C-alpha cells in the first residue's frame, strides 16, 4: 500500500498498453493511485495490473462484479491475489453477495478495500423504473449505500452530487469515491454534472477519480500536482 495515501485516483482508460505505460512514467505514485477498468483489463489482463503495481502505484480494479455470491467472492479473492488496493461490485447483487465477498476478503487478514456501485449515474429515472426500481435515483443510491455499509463494505462509488448526503448519512469512515470531477475551466468531455476537485472534497468525497483532465493533459504531472494542491488547500 502507498504510505502517502493519495486521494486522487487517475482513470487509466487507454485502448492499448504503450500509451498507458508512457503516462505512468510521467506520474508520481506518491501523488496518485490508478484505476484499471473493464477495457484495459479485458485487453491486457492481470499482467498489466502487475506492471502498474511494480511501478509503485496502488490499483483500484474497477470491474464492478455482479453475479451469484460464490462467484463474486471467488473473483474478489482472485483480485486480492493480484495485489490490488481496492475493488468494487454492484450493490444490487444483494446482501448475500456483498457479505460473502467481504467474508472471503476478511479471511485473508490484510485485505484490499471493497466498495460498491449503487446506481450507475448513466441511468435516469425512467430507465431505472424499466428495470424494476421504484423511486428516484437518489432514493435508490441512499438505500443501496446503507445496505452496502450494513454488509461491511468500505464505501461506495458515487457522484460528487450525492457525496454530501451520503457523508451525512453514512458517517466519517465510509469511503466515497467520486468520478465526475473537473478542475475549473477544464474540458467536460462526456461528463455533464461535474464538480471541481475542491468542491467534491468539501462535499465529503474521500477519493476523486480523475481521468482525461490528467491523462490527456500536455503535462500530466503538472495537471496532477495542480489538483493535488487544490484539494490540499481544502
Ligand atoms: O476522464 P474522466 O475523468 O471522465 O474519467 C472518469 C472515470 O470514471 C472513467 O473511467 C469513467 O468510466 C468512470 N466513471 C464515471 N462516472 C461514473 C462511474 C465511473 O465517470 N458514474
Amino acid at each position: 500500500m502507498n504510505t502517502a495515501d493519495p486521494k486522487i485516483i487517475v482513470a487509466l482508460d487507454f485502448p492499448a498498453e504503450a500509451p498507458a505505460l508512457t503516462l505512468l512514467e510521467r506520474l508520481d505514485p506518491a501523488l496518485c493511485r490508478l484505476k484499471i477498468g473493464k477495457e484495459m483489463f479485458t485487453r491486457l489482463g492481470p499482467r498489466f495490473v502487475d506492471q502498474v503495481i511494480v511501478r509503485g502505484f496502488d490499483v483500484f480494479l474497477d470491474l464492478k462484479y455482479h453475479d451469484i455470491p460464490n462467484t463474486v467472492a471467488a473473483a474478489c479473492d482472485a483480485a486480492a491475489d493480484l495485489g490490488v488496493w481496492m475493488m468494487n461490485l454492484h450493490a444490487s447483487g444483494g446482501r448475500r453477495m456483498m457479505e460473502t465477498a467481504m467474508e472471503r476478503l476478511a479471511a485473508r487478514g490484510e485485505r484490499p478495500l471493497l466498495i460498491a456501485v449503487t446506481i450507475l449515474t448513466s441511468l435516469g429515472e425512467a430507465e431505472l423504473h424499466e428495470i424494476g426500481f421504484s423511486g428516484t435515483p437518489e432514493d435508490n443510491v441512499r438505500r443501496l449505500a446503507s445496505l452496502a455499509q450494513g454488509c461491511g463494505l468500505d464505501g461506495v462509488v458515487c457522484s460528487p452530487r450525492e457525496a454530501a448526503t451520503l457523508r451525512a448519512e453514512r458517517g466519517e469512515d465510509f469511503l466515497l469515491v467520486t468520478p465526475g470531477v473537473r478542475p475549473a475551466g477544464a474540458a467536460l468531455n462526456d461528463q455533464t454534472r461535474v464538480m471541481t476537485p475542491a468542491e467534491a472534497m468539501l462535499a465529503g468525497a474521500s477519493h476523486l477519480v480523475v481521468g482525461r483532465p490528467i491523462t490527456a493533459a500536455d503535462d500530466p504531472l503538472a495537471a496532477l500536482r495542480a489538483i493535488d494542491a487544490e484539494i490540499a488547500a481544502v
Side-chain angles (χ1 to χ4, degrees), residues 74-142:
C76 289
D77 208 28
D81 284 342
L82 291 180
V84 305
W85 161 72
M86 176 186 274
M87 65 187 79
N88 59 0
L89 47 65
H90 274 281
S92 53
R95 173 181 292 283
R96 272 191 313 118
M97 188 196 79
M98 287 193 276
E99 286 180 346
T100 309
M102 229 17 237
E103 281 163 18
R104 190 76 62 94
L105 290 178
R108 304 176 63 95
E110 195 170 328
R111 64 165 178 83
L113 296 166
L114 179 62
I115 65 172
V117 174
T118 57
I119 299 295
L120 293 169
T121 52
S122 53
L123 284 176
E125 197 160 330
E127 252 187 314
L128 202 60
H129 292 173
E130 194 177 34
I131 56 168
F133 288 68
S134 56
T136 65
E138 195 201 345
D139 294 337
N140 285 282
V141 167
R142 292 168 62 204

Side-chain angles (χ1 to χ4, degrees), residues 20-41:
L21 293 182
T22 301
L23 176 74
L24 296 197
E25 300 300 325
R26 306 179 69 187
L27 294 177
D28 179 353
L31 293 182
C32 68
R33 293 170 156 126
L34 294 171
K35 180 171 88 66
I36 298 176
K38 288 189 170 88
E39 180 186 8
M40 294 210 79
F41 190 78

Side-chain angles (χ1 to χ4, degrees), residues 11 13 35 64 121 157 179-182 190-191 209-213:
D13 293 317
K35 180 171 88 66
K64 301 186 180 73
T121 52
V157 183
V181 177
R182 287 290 179 272
D190 52 358
Q191 299 283 2
V209 174
V210 187
R212 289 158 289 181

